[in-house]
Amino acid sequence: MESYRRVPAWAAALVGLVAGAVALGVSWLVAGLVKASAFPVLVVGDSAVDLSPSWLKEWAIRTFGEADKIVLLSGVSVVLAALAAGIGILASRDLRYGHAGLAVLGAIGVAAALTRPGAGLADTLPVLAGVAAGMVALSRLTRRALASGSDSPRPPTGGAPERRPAAGAEEPDHVLRPSVMRAGEDLRSFDRRGLLTGLLGGVAVAGVAGAAGRLLSGGAEVDAARVGLALPTPAAPAGPVPAGSDLKIKGLSPFFTPNRDFYRVDTALIVPQVDPGDWTLRIHGMVDRPIELTFADLVKRPLVEADVTLCCVSNEVGGPYVGNARWLGARLSDVLREAGVRKDADMLLSVSADGWTCGTPLDVVMDGRDSLLAIAMNGEALPVDHGFPARQVVPGLYGYVSATKWVTEIKVTRFDRDQAYWTPRGWAAKGPIKTQSRIDLPKSGASLRPGRTVIAGVAWAQHKGVDAVEVRVDRGEWRQARLAEAPTADTWRQWVLDDWDAVPGTHTIQVRATDATGYTQTSEVTAVAPDGATGWHTVEVTVA
C-alpha cells in the first residue's frame, strides 16, 4: 500500500480537482470526435432532466426561466468538483481509493450514456477516455506532490540504534517516529514545487483538450453554414403586415418578436449543432412511400411565409413564454401527402436531433393551416437556438406537441401506439393553445403618477383569432380595449386602453380576451399542467 500522509488535505483536494479537469477535457475532446452530446456532463445532466418529476421541472422553469439549463449544468459541475476534490483526498491516503472513486463516476457516466435515446457503445468512449486520463493524472499529480523517495529518510531497520538529534536541535519535519511507522510503507515529504508544476501541467492539458473538443464539436462550422445560407424566394409570400398591427407603444411587446428576444424552452442542455449538409428528415411509419429529405431537397420545395405566434405550455398566466414571428418553410401537409398517409393514422411522432420526441395531432396538420417545416425566422435562417437547420411550426398547438426544433424524423403513427416525451410525465397528449391575454403596461408593482395612464398588452387565440379584449380596474366594470389589426387568426393581437384616470392609491388591473368562437377567458385559476394555465392576468400598481 502506498501511503502519502504528508500531502496536506488542501493540496490533495487540488490534485483531485485538476485530475477531474483533465478527465473532463479529454472526454470533451473525444466527444468532439464521436458525438458532442456524449460529453459526460451533458449526458448526466440530460439523465437528471429525464428522471426529474414534472413538478420539479415546472418549478425550475418558473424560478430560473430560460436560465434553468445553466443552473442545472452549474449544479452538476459543482457536484463533480466536490467529488473530484474528495477523490484527491482519498488518493492521498491510498491511490487505489482514488482510482476506485473515478471508476464509480465512470460507471455512472457509462450507464447514463447508454440510456440516452439512440445511444450506442461509441457514446461511452468519452466517459471511458476521460476516466482513464483522470486516473493517469491523479497518479502523476499525487506522486509529484511528494519529494523523491531517494531524498526521504528510510525507517530504521533491524537492530541498528535509533539516531536522535542532539539536545536542543530541531527534528526535521519529515522524520516519522518509529513508533507510528508500519513495515512496507513508503512515506515521503510534501513537495510544493513539484505539486505546483504538476498542477500547471494538468491545467494546460485540460485546457488544450477542452478547447480542441469545442472546435471539433462543430459549432463554428454550423454558424458559418447558417450565416452563408441564402434564403430562397417564397412561392407564397406573406402579405404585408397591416399598418395598424403594431401600436408602437413603448414597453408594449412589438408585433414581431425579435429573434434575440424570442423565448426558448426545451430540454436540450447543449444546443444541437446540426450541419445542414449532413441533415436529413426521415418520414416513415404508417405511410405508403417513406421519404427522406436532405436540406437541399427541402429548400427546393415551394416555400411558404406565415406569421405565427408560438406559446409554451409552461407559460403561466401573463408569462413571457410566447412570441410572434414570420416563418419561412415548406408545408408539412404537402410532404405527408407525398408519403401517402394511411387513413387510420392520427399522430405524428417527431424526433429532435437530441432525441426529444413530440406527438402532434395529424388532423390539425392536415386541416389547411400553415403547418411548416420552417427554415427561416423573421427574414433570416433559423437561429441555432431555435432549431437550425429545420423545425416544425404548427399554429394553434402548444410547443410541446407541435414545435420540434432540429427535427430529423417524423413517424406517422397513432396515439394509442406511441407516446411522446411529455405524455408519460403527466401532460396531455393533445395541447390546443388556450385563449389568453397579458398586461404589458403598466408592469406589476409599478409606481405611477396620477392622471391619464395607458394600459396595454397582447392577446392570442391561435387559429381562432381574438375578437375582443376587456380591462377592469379594482374589480369595477369591464371596459372594451382598442384592438390593433391582426393579419391572420394565427398571430397575437395588441390592445390598449389609453384613458384610465389614475388616482392616488393601490390599484388592481385585470384583463380578459374573447376569441372568434365567442369564448371568453375563464376567471378560474389553474396550473400549467397538464394542458396549459387559465385565469385572468392581474397586476397591482401604486399611484402616488
Side-chain angles (χ1 to χ4, degrees):
M1 181 168 91
E2 288 183 291
S3 180
Y4 304 125
R5 295 186 184 178
R6 293 298 185 180
V7 179
W10 64 265
L14 278 178
V15 165
L17 286 170
V18 173
V22 170
L24 290 180
V26 170
S27 64
W28 200 343
L29 173 60
V30 177
L33 295 168
V34 177
K35 184 197 295 185
S37 60
F39 180 49
V41 174
L42 299 176
V43 167
V44 172
D46 282 329
S47 296
V49 170
D50 289 350
L51 295 173
S52 298
S54 293
W55 65 263
L56 182 57
K57 295 176 185 177
E58 294 167 29
W59 174 84
I61 292 174
R62 286 196 308 271
T63 305
F64 304 111
E66 295 183 32
D68 58 344
K69 300 166 187 64
I70 296 174
V71 172
L72 174 60
L73 288 175
S74 298
V76 171
S77 299
V78 169
V79 170
L80 286 176
L83 292 173
I87 285 172
I89 293 173
L90 287 176
S92 72
R93 298 180 178 180
D94 189 325
L95 198 51
R96 291 173 296 183
Y97 295 162
H99 286 171
L102 285 172
V104 170
L105 292 182
I108 294 172
V110 166
L114 290 175
T115 55
R116 302 307 304 151
L121 290 178
D123 292 71
T124 66
L125 292 178
V127 176
L128 297 176
V131 169
M135 288 182 174
V136 171
L138 187 65
S139 299
R140 293 189 175 181
L141 290 173
T142 301
R143 291 191 173 106
R144 285 192 68 88
L146 299 159
S148 171
S150 61
D151 297 332
S152 299
R154 304 299 301 172
T157 57
E162 181 186 355
R163 302 177 67 180
R164 296 180 178 273
E170 266 188 44
E171 188 173 62
D173 179 66
H174 59 265
V175 174
L176 201 65
R177 303 300 302 159
S179 59
V180 296
M181 289 193 303
R182 294 193 297 269
E185 285 190 322
D186 179 15
L187 292 162
R188 291 176 275 173
S189 59
F190 177 49
D191 184 352
R192 291 176 183 270
R193 181 176 297 177
L195 173 65
L196 178 60
T197 57
L199 293 178
L200 291 175
V203 169
V205 170
V208 170
R214 182 180 179 85
L215 289 174
L216 290 171
S217 295
E221 290 82 356
V222 171
D223 286 340
R226 177 184 173 274
V227 171
L229 178 63
L231 295 178
T233 301
V241 177
S245 293
D246 198 321
L247 299 174
K248 299 190 182 303
I249 297 173
K250 185 178 180 181
L252 174 62
S253 300
F255 180 72
F256 285 125
T257 307
N259 290 355
R260 66 179 180 279
D261 298 330
F262 209 94
Y263 78 93
R264 177 196 165 201
V265 176
D266 52 54
T267 63
L269 293 183
I270 180 173
V271 176
Q273 303 290 329
V274 183
D275 190 323
D278 300 328
W279 179 86
T280 59
L281 173 65
R282 178 177 170 236
I283 298 176
H284 64 106
M286 298 175 67
V287 297
D288 297 328
R289 298 169 295 279
I291 291 176
E292 186 167 291
L293 295 174
T294 65
F295 189 73
D297 295 331
L298 183 60
V299 297
K300 287 176 183 176
R301 300 182 67 87
L303 300 184
V304 175
E305 275 187 332
D307 299 336
V308 178
T309 295
L310 298 185
C311 184
C312 179
V313 72
S314 297
N315 201 42
E316 301 277 359
V317 172
Y321 302 134
V322 58
N324 186 57
R326 174 162 289 186
W327 308 91
L328 173 68
R331 290 190 185 277
L332 179 54
S333 56
D334 291 346
V335 179
L336 292 172
R337 288 189 183 95
E338 291 178 18
V341 175
R342 295 174 189 167
K343 291 183 179 180
D344 52 342
D346 64 5
M347 172 191 180
L348 302 178
L349 184 70
S350 52
V351 183
S352 170
D354 65 347
W356 183 80
T357 56
C358 166
T360 307
L362 178 61
D363 60 337
V364 171
V365 173
M366 305 298 287
D367 70 359
R369 69 187 71 191
D370 291 321
S371 300
L372 303 178
L373 291 170
I375 63 167
M377 178 180 182
N378 288 332
E380 63 179 70
L382 285 172
V384 175
D385 283 357
H386 292 288
F388 182 77
R391 67 171 294 168
Q392 287 185 182
V393 172
V394 181
L397 298 177
Y398 285 118
Y400 83 106
V401 295
S402 68
T404 307
K405 295 183 283 192
W406 317 287
V407 61
T408 60
E409 179 184 344
I410 297 176
K411 178 183 178 183
V412 181
T413 181
R414 293 183 54 83
F415 281 103
D416 57 7
R417 296 181 188 175
D418 286 297
Q419 286 186 316
Y421 181 89
W422 285 111
T423 308
R425 292 167 171 81
W427 295 80
K430 303 176 182 180
I433 294 177
K434 296 178 178 179
T435 299
Q436 283 285 347
S437 53
R438 184 180 74 196
I439 300 169
D440 287 349
L441 295 171
K443 299 292 185 184
S444 187
S447 294
L448 309 175
R449 293 181 179 180
R452 181 158 291 191
T453 302
V454 171
I455 304 173
V458 289
W460 57 92
Q462 285 95 318
H463 212 60
K464 291 175 286 188
V466 173
D467 264 12
V469 171
E470 299 169 285
V471 179
R472 72 176 183 179
V473 179
D474 298 330
R475 293 174 171 79
E477 292 186 2
W478 288 102
R479 299 182 57 197
Q480 289 280 340
R482 176 166 60 91
L483 294 177
E485 296 294 325
T488 74
D490 291 333
T491 69
W492 61 13
R493 199 167 185 180
Q494 294 180 346
W495 58 265
V496 62
L497 185 73
D498 54 11
D499 60 352
W500 175 45
D501 189 14
V503 298
T506 299
H507 301 283
T508 300
I509 306 172
Q510 294 177 302
V511 65
R512 68 183 184 185
T514 299
D515 63 37
T517 70
Y519 170 79
T520 300
Q521 281 182 256
T522 176
S523 61
E524 181 183 357
V525 176
T526 61
V528 295
D531 60 356
T534 63
W536 296 334
H537 189 208
T538 303
V539 301
E540 190 172 273
V541 298
T542 300
V543 179

